[in-house]
């Protein structure tokens, strides 16, 4: 497993994202989906849920803006209902 690079200076902080992007934004979405499926391969339901939780927290940290995160949560809730 490849280690995630760590910032040399933990106090350095990139600018947070300021708007949620909902239009397609991945250069190769199928590649990401394949990688996501591969990451779940061989895991139990509990392990998959834990992986998803860790992934969400890592991505939330990357986004770094609570307003964008709240917008993403609402978009996810809307897209899952109906």
């Amino acid at each position: 497993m490849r280690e995630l690079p760590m910032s040399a200076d933990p106090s350095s902080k990139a600018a947070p994202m300021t708007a949620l992007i909902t239009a397609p934004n991945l250069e190769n979405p199928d590649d990401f989906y394949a990688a996501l499926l591969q990451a779940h391969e061989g895991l139990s339901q509990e392990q998959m849920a834990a992986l998803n939780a860790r992934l969400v927290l890592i991505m939330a940290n990357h986004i770094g803006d609570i307003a964008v995160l709240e917008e993403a949560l609402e978009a996810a809730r809307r897209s899952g209902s109906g």
Side-chain angles (χ1 to χ4, degrees):
M1 175 188 270
R2 195 173 86 204
E3 288 293 319
L4 294 175
M6 298 301 288
S7 172
D9 178 6
S11 66
S12 68
K13 185 170 175 136
M17 295 181 175
T18 58
L20 181 65
I21 300 169
T22 57
N25 194 39
L26 287 173
E27 187 173 319
N28 296 304
D30 290 341
D31 291 346
F32 172 71
Y33 188 67
L36 184 61
L37 290 178
Q38 184 178 15
H40 286 85
E41 197 170 298
L43 299 180
S44 69
Q45 290 294 321
E46 184 176 290
Q47 290 169 322
M48 284 190 273
L51 172 68
N52 288 337
R54 289 190 303 274
L55 181 59
V56 166
L57 292 174
I58 289 168
M59 290 178 165
N61 183 67
H62 178 76
I63 292 168
D65 185 310
I66 189 65
V68 174
L69 295 169
E70 288 173 341
E71 190 177 351
L73 287 167
E74 182 58 34
R77 286 185 64 91
R78 279 193 314 269
S79 69
S81 63

